[in-house]
Amino acid sequence: MAAGGGGGQPPGTPLMVRRLAVEVVDARDLAPKDGLGTSSAYAVVDFDGQRKRTRTVPRDLNPQWHERLEFVVPDPANMHAEALDVSIYHDRRFSPSSSGGGGSGKNHFLGRVRIYGSQFSRCGEEGIVYFPLEKRSLLSWIRGEVGLKTYYYDEPAGPAPPEDKPPEPADNAPPPEIPPEQPKDLPEMPAPTEAAVEVQQPQAQPPVIIVGEAPMHPTMMPPVHGPHGPMMPPVHGPHGPMTPPPPESHPEPEPAPEPDAGEPYPPEVRKTRMASSTERVFVARHPSGGLGPDYYASSPRVISGRFVSTGEAVESVQSSSYDLVEPMRYLFVRVVQVRGIRACEGPYVKVQAGPHSLRSRPGHDVSGTGNPEWNQVFAISHAKPEPTLEISVWDGGAPSPADAFLGGVCFDLSDVPVRDQPDGPLAPQWYRLEGGEPGIVTGDIMVAVWIGTQADEAFPEAWNTDVPYAAYTRSKVYQSPKLWYLRASVIEAQDLRVPAPPQGLPFDVRVKIQLGIQSARTRRSVASSSGSAFAWSEDLMFVASEPLDDSLIVFVEDRSMIKEPALLGHTTIPVSSVEQRLDERQIVASRWFNLEGRTSDIGMGSGKVGGPHSPTGFYSGRLHLRLCLEGGYHVLDEAAHVCSDYRPTAKQLWKPPVGVLELGIIGACGLLPMKTKGGAKGSTDAYCAAKYGKKWVRTRTVTDSLNPRWNEQYTWQVYDPCTVLTVAVFDNWRMFAGAGDERQDYRIGKVRVRVSTLESNRVYTASYPLLVLLRSGLKKMGEVQLAVRFSSPGQLPDTWATYTSPLLPRMHYLRPIGVAQQEALRGAAVRTVAAWLARSEPPLGPEVVRYMLDADAHTWSVRRAKANWFRIMGVLAWAVGLARWLDGVQRWRNPSTTVLVHVLYLVLVWYPELVVPTASLYVFIIGVWYYRFRPRAPAGMDARLSQADTVDGDELEEEFDPVPPPDVLRVRYERLRTLAGRVQRVMGDVAAQGERLQSLVSWRDPRASRIFVGVCFAVAVALYAMPPKMVAVASGFYYLRHPMFRDPMPPPAVNFFRRLPSLSDRML
């Protein structure tokens, strides 16, 4: 066994020590503590028991230290969990009252800041961050902020001691690099079903790709002649006889049969099952049958039976990291290498257990010792245990099948160990290869065999019997790129050679900036009298992603001409050279950039500058720009109402996480077939994708199953509970794509779960309907079964602080971005993320990214407009209900209620100080009453709320066909004009009411104004003379008078208001 250096360092390399540098820059607006309106402040920095302090700056409320303090990080792996405390104190020795007394007494506390290790930046990426000072107790008077730079770096601790160890044998050579796996050839190309074609609209019918069958590999062994003819010789392994496969059989990997839901778990599985100490929440299943009203029910169906039944009490057990899903038993086989076999070309290993048979890739002699190596793991479904396991080695380049067998070993699976988490990996061992004629088969094979679950760390990269196509079917975790907002402030330009514009037209010089696929242009400039200097003072925003290897291309155009714009000059600025800033207080210096003349590789029109014979690259003026990468913004790549992360780009501004979100993707049921195989059989190759924050996850693809079982669990850090988790199911088509082909995965449906609707430390297990809106209407594609848990240690004060803090980072409020510009930047961010994830292996397709990020949510849809209108009506329903209740009280429909309202009104009028407490108590009672009807599980997608179950066919055609034929376009235009006319009429009525209110004192109608002014004077005199309580009682009783004293006609005040003039009669 190879020995490693201290601290996990490779042998022979010096030990590295991590140091944390804290630069205390300055503080602002501190509280005065010396009695004269000033303070003498110093800072104390504490990290992991190491305490250091700065010097004292006397009598200054804005002290500047610029001191660097260094600390040793004892455990770099857990640095993110450490906390750095910075406290500011007032030094009493510099107070006037302490002169002559030696400054005895306790120094006054001015504030403190706690920074967690997740906010530390690497050396070279640091910046000044101003943290608001926090109180130490509730009664502390604290104000101000402190500016800090915190970063870490690694340095060698000294030369490593020499190691007197013998050289390691060849058997312990490092594992070879595993080449990327290629998808296996398919026996037949499936065709999409009608539902799949409709889901993928407007994409046309996918072309059929002819895939040839792979040639059969010989698996024959040398025959042994017995008394009744040739027979296969027995192979004796360490646990019993092993029979090689017959020469005519060519078993291929087959999907494992799904375990019976009602079958009890074997003892091995019970030993590896995980439990939870949290409470599981279940509700009764809603009955639904056929296509009735519950077919598209938005409330999820909670799963019962397999985890905890609805009637069982939840017992407290130990928590673990993989307890939200069902454990699935797998037989793991790790094949490392063989030794002592005869020289051969392309040896491979065959693993067989019952009906499952897997074949490895060809081995490679990496160490140069003649021993082929694989370092490959196989995962065989072990739902129904098999008695034996056979591992055999074969010669891939044998001239005849009789010479292919090189030996094998057989295992009795009743003696295979069961690996329990969190045990380390099982060490491989050497086993003797046996079988064949005596003296021919020799050698040893190094393997490790154990039984585990999908929680094993070897499972994601293992060759699985459930997943025969290894290239595009593995479970993977992806990370979104780090996105920045790049602000380009265009100030002015000088020394431009602009020809005089045509007679009567002004100068129209504009600046156009391109960053990748993004382009923005300034407005028309303000020209000087000479026509060579122009000013804009305009900001342009772009989205840049790390690594910052793109370049800004800046063009200065003359658009004064009637024809195409002329290029006056251009310059190229690398994004990596742009300064980064964290907030608005950091001043970024502006720079002058020289503009070059015409060039042939920019692609800007004719580029005429200074005449047809101008040289390439000559000086054409200069441009004044201020460029910065804004780290204080959060780059929105999701819609604001379904955003999963609000953290700013700069890591130094991140707050500590408030909890952990765990998602268990159990499986799906009742999926519609998305493709046909063999011309008749319908099938679906489904996988599930989830996105929260910057982390994307993708489960493995379960092939040819309408009820796939994934049972995979993932975890995210939660920095704000008011965020949304998105889970979607897709049908895998990329695994059928050949070399150079591009096929898109078909969407099946998605579900969103808002984290704030989950109670802390509870498991919600439910089945959510997968709904997709198609041209033919709403269609249910199946159901997905999820288990969600939000674990948060925060108490009520932490929750109060989280919910009262701003949702977006500071820069969004100090320098807000317009709605239209924000939507354009979001589109650029979506394209950037899609391009980044498409370069992964296996790629996460752009269609998956756009569907999960709701890239088309801003497009016009009559259905969405109707849904939003009904949402507004639902919000105003409480006000309408209150008005109806008051009308019933006013009309004495229930005399007892009206009498009680009279009494309550008298009490509130006579004791007005009880109005606010009574209203608060009433709201409290309402909240407690509605607690009984709280949701028992997070809600899924709501078809009724989206107006998808009652949508008209014409509206669907308009939503899915943005560019229709001319006759259809005319019909849609007329319908849109009708809707717009109604909106226009409502807007005119609202404007008329406001104009009538203004006309009361504008004297447009002198008679009405004379009456209104006189009534106001009389009311003022009466209210001055009468007690206000008596006026309030009289007004209330007059409003609540009995119907027998009422006139059915409108009241005089309403009649007077309706007669007032508006400006409607003056419109054309």
Side-chain angles (χ1 to χ4, degrees):
M1 183 177 296
Q9 299 292 332
T13 59
L15 296 176
M16 303 299 292
V17 175
R18 175 163 296 182
R19 296 187 181 276
L20 175 65
V22 180
E23 184 175 344
V24 185
V25 182
D26 60 353
R28 300 177 178 177
D29 194 24
L30 296 179
K33 293 292 183 180
D34 60 354
L36 298 178
T38 61
S39 293
S40 302
Y42 68 93
V44 177
V45 184
D46 191 349
F47 177 76
D48 194 40
Q50 310 170 55
R51 176 172 294 186
K52 298 182 180 181
R53 61 160 289 175
T54 64
R55 58 183 175 86
T56 301
V57 178
R59 300 179 181 87
D60 193 351
L61 295 181
N62 300 290
Q64 296 186 5
W65 293 284
H66 295 283
E67 294 189 26
R68 172 178 167 179
L69 309 177
E70 290 192 357
F71 305 88
V72 177
V73 181
D75 190 2
N78 296 324
M79 185 183 67
H80 64 279
E82 299 289 344
L84 174 72
D85 293 322
V86 180
S87 302
I88 310 297
Y89 294 93
H90 164 66
D91 197 340
R92 292 174 56 108
R93 295 178 301 172
F94 294 86
S95 299
S97 59
S98 62
S99 57
S104 60
K106 187 177 180 180
N107 293 330
H108 293 291
F109 178 72
L110 297 178
R112 67 177 181 180
V113 172
R114 171 163 290 186
I115 309 172
Y116 292 89
S118 58
Q119 301 174 260
F120 300 160
S121 59
R122 190 178 297 276
C123 183
E125 302 176 359
E126 72 277 2
I128 301 178
V129 182
Y130 285 90
F131 298 93
L133 295 175
E134 301 175 356
K135 297 181 179 180
R136 185 167 56 183
S137 62
L138 184 63
L139 301 179
S140 300
W141 178 47
I142 301 300
R143 74 180 190 190
E145 55 189 6
V146 59
L148 303 173
K149 282 186 180 180
T150 56
Y151 56 93
Y152 62 91
Y153 61 93
D154 298 327
E155 64 178 7
E163 299 182 1
D164 299 333
K165 294 185 178 181
E168 297 178 349
D171 295 338
N172 292 331
E177 296 183 359
I178 300 177
E181 303 163 7
Q182 300 297 331
K184 299 182 180 180
D185 294 336
L186 296 177
E188 182 181 358
M189 180 65 195
T193 60
E194 295 182 1
V197 173
E198 194 174 7
V199 165
Q200 201 63 7
Q201 291 289 348
Q203 179 180 334
Q205 182 79 7
V208 178
I209 302 176
I210 301 176
V211 182
E213 286 196 26
M216 295 291 187
H217 293 278
T219 57
M220 300 182 62
M221 289 187 56
V224 177
H225 294 275
H228 301 286
M231 57 178 292
M232 300 304 295
V235 181
H236 296 277
H239 301 288
M242 181 189 73
T243 303
E248 66 275 7
S249 63
H250 304 281
E252 293 294 330
E254 299 179 357
E258 296 183 0
D260 188 7
E263 181 181 352
Y265 292 105
E268 292 82 3
V269 179
R270 286 198 294 268
K271 284 193 292 184
T272 58
R273 289 189 66 184
M274 305 301 179
S276 171
S277 61
T278 57
E279 181 182 356
R280 299 181 182 270
V281 181
F282 297 91
V283 298
R285 177 181 300 185
H286 297 284
S288 61
L291 298 179
D294 292 333
Y295 180 72
Y296 301 119
S298 60
S299 57
R301 177 173 54 86
V302 178
I303 304 172
S304 61
R306 180 170 291 275
F307 298 97
V308 179
S309 64
T310 54
E312 286 182 341
V314 181
E315 60 182 22
S316 178
V317 291
Q318 294 298 323
S319 176
S320 66
S321 60
Y322 220 82
D323 56 347
L324 298 183
V325 296
E326 306 173 12
M328 302 177 67
R329 259 204 329 173
Y330 286 92
L331 175 64
F332 290 91
V333 179
R334 181 187 297 274
V335 181
V336 183
Q337 62 177 339
V338 297
R339 65 183 179 186
I341 63 173
R342 70 170 186 263
C344 56
E345 180 181 356
Y348 63 91
V349 177
K350 211 169 188 182
V351 180
Q352 185 168 0
H356 306 293
S357 179
L358 294 175
R359 172 179 167 173
S360 71
R361 61 179 179 272
H364 298 278
D365 184 12
V366 180
S367 58
T369 58
N371 300 329
E373 300 180 8
W374 289 274
N375 281 308
Q376 191 171 352
V377 181
F378 301 92
I380 303 174
S381 179
H382 206 57
K384 295 181 179 179
E386 300 295 336
T388 59
L389 168 69
E390 300 176 2
I391 303 174
S392 54
V393 184
W394 301 81
D395 184 2
S400 63
D403 300 330
F405 183 70
L406 299 178
V409 64
C410 181
F411 291 88
D412 184 1
L413 294 184
S414 62
D415 297 333
V416 173
V418 177
R419 181 183 174 191
D420 296 325
Q421 297 290 338
D423 292 348
L426 190 67
Q429 297 180 359
W430 289 104
Y431 295 93
R432 182 70 177 173
L433 292 175
E434 300 181 3
E437 299 181 3
I440 296 180
V441 177
T442 59
D444 302 299
I445 182 171
M446 178 183 285
V447 296
V449 182
W450 71 94
I451 295 176
T453 64
Q454 73 272 26
D456 200 296
E457 70 274 1
F459 180 77
E461 297 298 331
W463 284 32
N464 198 328
T465 53
D466 297 336
V467 186
Y469 317 110
Y472 294 100
T473 56
R474 296 266 181 89
S475 59
K476 293 292 181 181
V477 177
Y478 304 87
Q479 195 75 15
S480 295
K482 187 176 183 180
L483 301 179
W484 296 78
Y485 278 150
L486 191 152
R487 185 188 299 273
S489 301
V490 184
I491 303 175
E492 59 178 334
Q494 296 180 0
D495 302 338
L496 297 181
R497 306 176 185 179
V498 184
Q503 186 74 20
L505 294 179
F507 283 101
D508 189 1
V509 179
R510 307 192 182 193
V511 177
K512 177 183 176 182
I513 302 180
Q514 289 183 356
L515 177 61
I517 59 176
Q518 307 172 63
S519 177
R521 183 183 288 111
T522 63
R523 296 187 294 268
R524 180 182 300 176
S525 61
V526 178
S528 62
S529 57
S530 61
S532 62
F534 302 86
W536 291 274
S537 298
E538 185 176 349
D539 290 352
L540 303 179
M541 299 281 288
F542 304 90
V543 176
S545 65
E546 292 188 357
L548 304 174
D549 51 3
D550 293 335
S551 296
L552 279 174
I553 304 178
V554 184
F555 304 99
V556 181
E557 305 172 353
D558 180 15
R559 307 179 69 90
S560 304
M561 301 299 177
I562 302 178
K563 299 181 180 180
E564 63 179 10
L567 177 63
L568 301 178
H570 78 277
T571 184
T572 302
I573 307 170
V575 179
S576 57
S577 64
V578 177
E579 183 180 352
Q580 302 176 2
R581 74 170 183 175
L582 304 182
D583 55 20
E584 82 289 350
R585 291 165 291 194
Q586 184 177 348
I587 305 300
V588 178
S590 58
R591 298 166 57 189
W592 287 94
F593 296 91
N594 292 333
L595 300 176
E596 298 181 2
R598 58 180 298 181
T599 182
S600 59
D601 57 352
I602 297 299
M604 275 292 301
S606 59
K608 294 182 180 180
V609 181
H613 303 289
S614 300
T616 300
F618 72 101
Y619 175 76
S620 300
R622 60 177 186 167
L623 185 65
H624 195 193
L625 300 176
R626 178 181 289 109
L627 304 175
C628 65
L629 290 168
E630 299 282 6
Y633 287 95
H634 169 70
V635 181
L636 288 170
D637 56 352
E638 302 167 292
H641 58 281
V642 293
C643 193
S644 62
D645 189 15
Y646 295 105
R647 289 175 296 169
T649 301
K651 187 179 179 181
Q652 299 91 326
L653 301 178
W654 292 1
K655 297 180 180 179
V658 298
V660 175
L661 177 64
E662 299 172 85
L663 171 66
I665 305 175
I666 302 171
C669 61
L671 297 181
L672 295 184
M674 304 297 290
K675 57 174 71 75
T676 59
K677 294 182 179 179
K681 180 185 178 182
S683 66
T684 299
D685 305 319
Y687 70 90
C688 190
K691 194 263 181 185
Y692 185 80
K694 300 297 182 183
K695 181 179 175 181
W696 301 65
V697 299
R698 167 182 174 163
T699 67
R700 67 188 186 280
T701 301
V702 178
T703 58
D704 197 11
S705 176
L706 301 180
N707 300 286
R709 310 298 292 177
W710 295 293
N711 285 305
E712 299 185 15
Q713 185 169 337
Y714 299 95
T715 303
W716 289 269
Q717 295 284 345
V718 177
Y719 292 86
D720 194 320
C722 302
T723 46
V724 176
L725 167 70
T726 304
V727 183
V729 182
F730 298 89
D731 181 49
N732 197 333
W733 279 83
R734 292 182 181 272
M735 64 184 186
F736 298 104
D741 296 334
E742 182 69 22
R743 300 184 65 88
Q744 294 186 356
D745 296 336
Y746 290 3
R747 65 182 185 270
I748 298 179
K750 66 181 174 183
V751 175
R752 297 194 190 99
V753 177
R754 184 167 291 274
V755 180
S756 59
T757 60
L758 306 176
E759 295 192 23
S760 299
N761 306 319
R762 284 191 177 182
V763 177
Y764 295 85
T765 305
S767 181
Y768 298 88
L770 296 173
L771 306 177
V772 177
L773 189 63
L774 307 176
R775 289 179 179 268
S776 59
L778 184 66
K779 180 172 290 188
K780 182 178 179 180
M781 309 295 292
E783 293 185 356
V784 62
Q785 301 166 0
L786 305 175
V788 187
R789 175 172 58 202
F790 174 53
S791 303
S792 176
Q795 302 298 325
L796 183 59
D798 303 322
T799 305
W800 172 271
T802 300
Y803 273 74
T804 55
S805 61
L807 188 64
L808 293 171
R810 172 188 176 96
M811 287 291 289
H812 285 272
Y813 303 98
L814 299 181
R815 300 196 65 177
I817 303 175
V819 177
Q821 188 179 23
Q822 183 68 75
E823 196 62 34
L825 292 174
R826 177 175 172 259
V830 170
R831 292 192 294 269
T832 303
V833 173
W836 174 271
L837 296 179
R839 294 195 296 265
S840 305
E841 185 60 35
L844 199 64
E847 71 280 0
V848 177
V849 176
R850 293 181 61 85
Y851 181 60
M852 298 188 66
L853 294 181
D854 279 339
D856 302 326
H858 63 283
T859 56
W860 163 253
S861 170
V862 177
R863 177 187 59 83
R864 289 198 187 100
K866 290 170 57 178
N868 290 333
W869 169 256
F870 284 112
R871 289 172 59 194
I872 295 175
M873 293 296 100
V875 171
L876 299 179
W878 67 271
V880 176
L882 179 61
R884 290 177 179 174
W885 180 79
L886 287 177
D887 182 71
V889 172
Q890 184 185 17
R891 296 179 182 274
W892 289 72
R893 290 174 182 169
N894 190 344
S896 59
T897 303
T898 306
V899 171
L900 290 177
V901 171
H902 278 77
V903 174
L904 179 63
Y905 182 74
L906 280 175
V907 172
L908 295 180
V909 169
W910 218 257
Y911 301 98
E913 63 273 7
L914 298 180
V915 173
V916 175
T918 304
S920 301
L921 180 61
Y922 183 69
V923 173
F924 168 76
I925 295 175
I926 292 178
V928 173
W929 173 260
Y930 276 101
Y931 180 77
R932 302 169 51 199
F933 312 105
R934 67 189 184 279
R936 300 288 180 171
M941 311 300 285
D942 196 331
R944 293 187 180 91
L945 181 65
S946 306
Q947 296 296 311
D949 53 346
T950 59
V951 65
D952 194 6
D954 296 337
E955 298 174 358
L956 285 177
E957 285 293 332
E958 181 178 3
E959 186 170 349
F960 285 95
D961 191 6
V963 186
D967 53 344
V968 180
L969 182 62
R970 183 176 184 83
V971 174
R972 294 181 184 175
Y973 178 67
E974 291 297 334
R975 183 170 66 246
L976 186 61
R977 288 189 62 183
T978 303
L979 295 176
R982 297 176 184 174
V983 176
Q984 171 183 302
R985 191 181 307 114
V986 172
M987 294 172 59
D989 293 342
V990 173
Q993 304 303 325
E995 291 164 355
R996 287 169 179 168
L997 191 62
Q998 291 178 345
S999 66
L1000 287 172
V1001 292
S1002 64
W1003 296 87
R1004 288 189 58 224
D1005 187 346
R1007 300 175 185 84
S1009 297
R1010 189 179 300 113
I1011 294 175
F1012 177 73
V1013 172
V1015 170
C1016 289
F1017 178 76
V1019 169
V1021 172
L1023 292 180
Y1024 275 124
M1026 299 175 60
K1029 293 183 180 181
M1030 298 299 297
V1031 174
V1033 170
S1035 302
F1037 276 59
Y1038 177 78
Y1039 176 78
L1040 298 174
R1041 67 190 183 278
H1042 197 274
M1044 62 182 299
F1045 301 108
R1046 295 181 183 274
D1047 189 358
M1049 303 303 292
V1054 175
N1055 296 330
F1056 179 81
F1057 184 78
R1058 289 175 178 174
R1059 291 177 178 274
L1060 294 175
S1062 66
L1063 301 181
S1064 301
D1065 53 347
R1066 300 172 58 179
M1067 293 188 63
L1068 294 176

